[in-house]
Amino acid sequence: MAATDSIHGMWSSRLMFILAAAGSAVGLGNIWRFPYVAGENGGGAFVLVYLACIFLIGIPIMASEILIGRAGRQSPINAMRSLAMDSGASSGWQVVGWMGALAGFMILSFYAVIAGWVLSYVILLGSGAFVGADADLANNTFQGFVGNAWSVLGWFTGFIVLTVFITARGVGRGLETTVKYLMPTLFVLLIVLVIYAAVTSGHFTEGVLFLFSFEFERLTWGSVLIAMGQAFFTLSLGMGAIMAYGAYMPKNTSIIGTATTIALMDTGVALMSGLVIFPLVFANGLESSAGPGLMFVTLPLAFGQMAGGQFFGCIFFILVAFAAITSAISLVEPAVAWIVEKLEATRVVAALLVGALVWLLGLGSAFSTNILSDVFIVGEMTFFDTMDYVTNNIVLPLGGIFIALFAGWVLDSKIRDEEMKGDLPYYPIWRFLTRFVAPVAVSIVFVMTFLQN
Ligand code: TRP
């Protein structure tokens, strides 16, 4: 049976687990990806589908990941393997863990590239590069930066080094110390920015309406798939990140309650980011559907036009950088924990190894906006676009289906009942959503998207 503590260390309290998991969840997905994807897919109706996915699919799967992790007390690969065997099922379930570790590499490889852009934008905004800038200048600055292979590579490498450094210091001194300081700071900064946008833009209601008015005609199965993929991505689900963190969670704390808290924090940050970005976009007569450049072109331009924009713009990108680093460390944790268990390597060696592999894979994404910008992997998608699309819309939802099936059907009910005993009134609801709703809903979206194309 599983030990009471993991060999990797433990969170010192339930609150620290919440901050770590919220740190994983709140990231570029909330601040960079959510607003531009919502913008591209027409706002309100998309947001509604996204919220439905968070509550009906996301929270049950997050609870499943925490449950599996805490019951197994090991890396996702070994937790799935030993729990499957304890439950009289095939050890082949560990494949879900393998797929997840691989997805972590793929996600971080492009995630670290964007995070690198963010780091360089902290400096750019802080130095006043966008003060009084017009659209051409903002656009040229962005194109010039991402078009320069060396600077992109430098910032990307810097971000990976930072991730490796924190990871190597371990669960307590590395991960927990980082989230303990960065997450509260992030929340405060975000509230300051929402107030700033509300007070100075004069277009706050327009932003609110954009996010919350439902135009269902604009919804296709393709955009439903993107909303669902976004829900998985933003909650860090489907690849074992939350499972790995769950392995370090104290016993006797409620799982469903904790998962719900984390999901609410994550959703709150995404919506608040929208409430910072869209009022600024509308105040300056810019396009809400600007795509991935929304945060890097439109926003600096907007800040450049506003009182205190140099200062608040710099703060904004610092906030994004904090959000990114507390997510990146969760993307490598499954692989790092597995290497420590399997090869009996130290965390330092494991973190360096994983970092090196992510860096190699990430070269493809780092160069997707410059030397490799004409190289398309699928259709018109660059290496970067392919990694983003495949992980969000295929690998994570697929991983989610298997995790839900495993927690709902395969796992020995004695183990499940034991872990869920602090969640009694909600336990049957969770079980129903996990057994039926989540796997069926994800499958339907897959099939319908496929048929519609
Ligand atoms: N959730 C993070 C974000 O929104 C990204 C992330 C961290 C992630 N760990 C993950 C996504 C695991 C999927 C799986 O930015």
Side-chain angles (χ1 to χ4, degrees):
M1 274 318 287
T4 38
D5 279 0
S6 99
I7 61 161
H8 307 286
M10 297 289 285
W11 307 117
S12 57
S13 64
R14 172 174 184 258
L15 177 65
M16 286 303 141
F17 171 75
I18 291 181
L19 287 185
S24 167
V26 171
L28 297 173
N30 302 61
I31 311 172
W32 162 70
R33 203 168 188 281
F34 171 76
Y36 95 72
V37 180
E40 282 182 338
N41 290 279
F46 176 89
V47 175
L48 195 66
V49 176
Y50 158 84
L51 291 176
C53 290
I54 297 274
F55 286 94
L56 296 177
I57 303 173
I59 294 180
I61 294 183
M62 181 179 285
S64 304
E65 288 207 24
I66 300 175
L67 171 115
I68 297 169
R70 195 171 73 174
R73 287 274 185 250
Q74 300 168 75
S75 63
I77 296 172
N78 283 329
M80 295 286 289
R81 193 179 58 107
S82 57
L83 289 174
M85 289 162 68
D86 288 346
S87 308
S90 157
S91 65
W93 279 97
Q94 64 180 295
V95 172
V96 179
W98 284 105
M99 221 175 74
L102 186 67
F105 282 98
M106 292 170 66
I107 295 173
L108 189 56
S109 74
F110 72 84
Y111 203 83
V113 173
I114 309 278
W117 298 359
V118 170
L119 292 179
S120 96
Y121 265 61
V122 171
I123 310 286
L124 270 179
L125 273 110
S127 69
F130 292 99
V131 174
D134 58 10
D136 280 345
L137 178 64
N139 208 19
N140 293 341
T141 307
F142 179 64
Q143 297 304 339
F145 171 70
V146 298
N148 181 336
W150 286 109
S151 54
V152 172
L153 184 63
W155 289 104
F156 156 76
T157 307
F159 185 79
I160 297 218
V161 169
L162 196 60
T163 307
V164 167
F165 177 77
I166 297 172
T167 303
R169 287 174 59 92
V171 174
R173 283 192 316 148
L175 312 194
E176 181 164 316
T177 309
T178 305
V179 299
K180 186 160 80 188
Y181 293 106
L182 296 195
M183 292 310 290
T185 316
L186 185 152
F187 292 130
V188 173
L189 293 182
L190 188 58
I191 291 170
V192 170
L193 283 165
V194 173
I195 296 172
Y196 172 77
V199 171
T200 58
S201 72
H203 286 68
F204 195 66
T205 25
E206 225 176 304
V208 174
L209 285 178
F210 179 76
L211 282 172
F212 299 107
S213 57
F214 310 124
E215 290 177 52
F216 282 100
E217 319 82 67
R218 304 191 60 169
L219 219 53
T220 60
W221 280 104
S223 54
V224 172
L225 177 68
I226 293 174
M228 185 177 80
Q230 173 65 20
F232 274 93
F233 185 76
T234 193
L235 293 177
S236 302
L237 297 179
M239 57 80 52
I242 299 294
M243 208 184 283
Y245 276 14
Y248 318 143
M249 183 195 190
K251 281 265 186 237
N252 301 324
T253 49
S254 94
I255 289 181
I256 299 172
T258 308
T260 308
T261 309
I262 296 161
L264 288 176
M265 288 164 93
D266 184 78
T267 306
V269 172
L271 295 177
M272 282 165 77
S273 307
L275 292 181
V276 174
I277 291 178
F278 289 116
L280 298 186
V281 166
F282 294 132
N284 294 282
L286 304 168
E287 275 303 319
S288 59
S289 57
L294 188 63
M295 192 174 89
F296 293 99
V297 179
T298 315
L299 211 56
L301 179 58
F303 278 121
Q305 300 301 322
M306 301 173 68
Q310 181 174 349
F311 177 75
F312 285 100
C314 179
I315 296 278
F316 177 86
F317 279 91
I318 290 177
L319 173 155
V320 183
F322 284 2
I325 190 69
T326 57
S327 297
I329 53 182
S330 78
L331 282 163
V332 294
E333 187 61 25
V336 167
W338 180 79
I339 292 172
V340 170
E341 287 162 12
K342 181 71 181 180
L343 308 180
E344 295 182 16
T346 60
R347 269 189 84 94
V348 178
V349 172
L352 283 169
L353 189 62
V354 171
L357 290 172
V358 170
W359 185 81
L360 279 177
L361 186 63
L363 294 178
S365 291
F367 296 147
S368 283
T369 51
N370 37 68
I371 14 189
L372 300 181
S373 61
D374 295 331
V375 179
F376 300 123
I377 309 290
V378 188
E380 296 234 310
M381 296 198 288
T382 60
F383 186 86
F384 180 108
D385 303 331
T386 309
M387 286 289 150
D388 181 328
Y389 189 88
V390 170
T391 48
N392 280 309
N393 301 331
I394 301 172
V395 181
L396 297 180
L398 208 57
I401 294 185
F402 285 117
I403 289 168
L405 292 177
F406 184 81
W409 297 99
V410 176
L411 193 62
D412 188 333
S413 56
K414 279 202 289 295
I415 302 177
R416 191 166 51 218
D417 294 348
E418 168 67 21
E419 293 294 334
M420 285 295 194
K421 66 176 187 252
D423 281 294
L424 263 187
Y426 304 107
Y427 182 29
I429 304 175
W430 168 81
R431 208 169 40 194
F432 177 72
L433 292 173
T434 305
R435 287 187 158 178
F436 302 102
V437 177
V440 171
V442 176
S443 308
I444 291 178
V445 178
F446 271 151
V447 172
M448 293 311 286
T449 311
F450 183 75
L451 290 181
Q452 212 177 43
N453 285 326

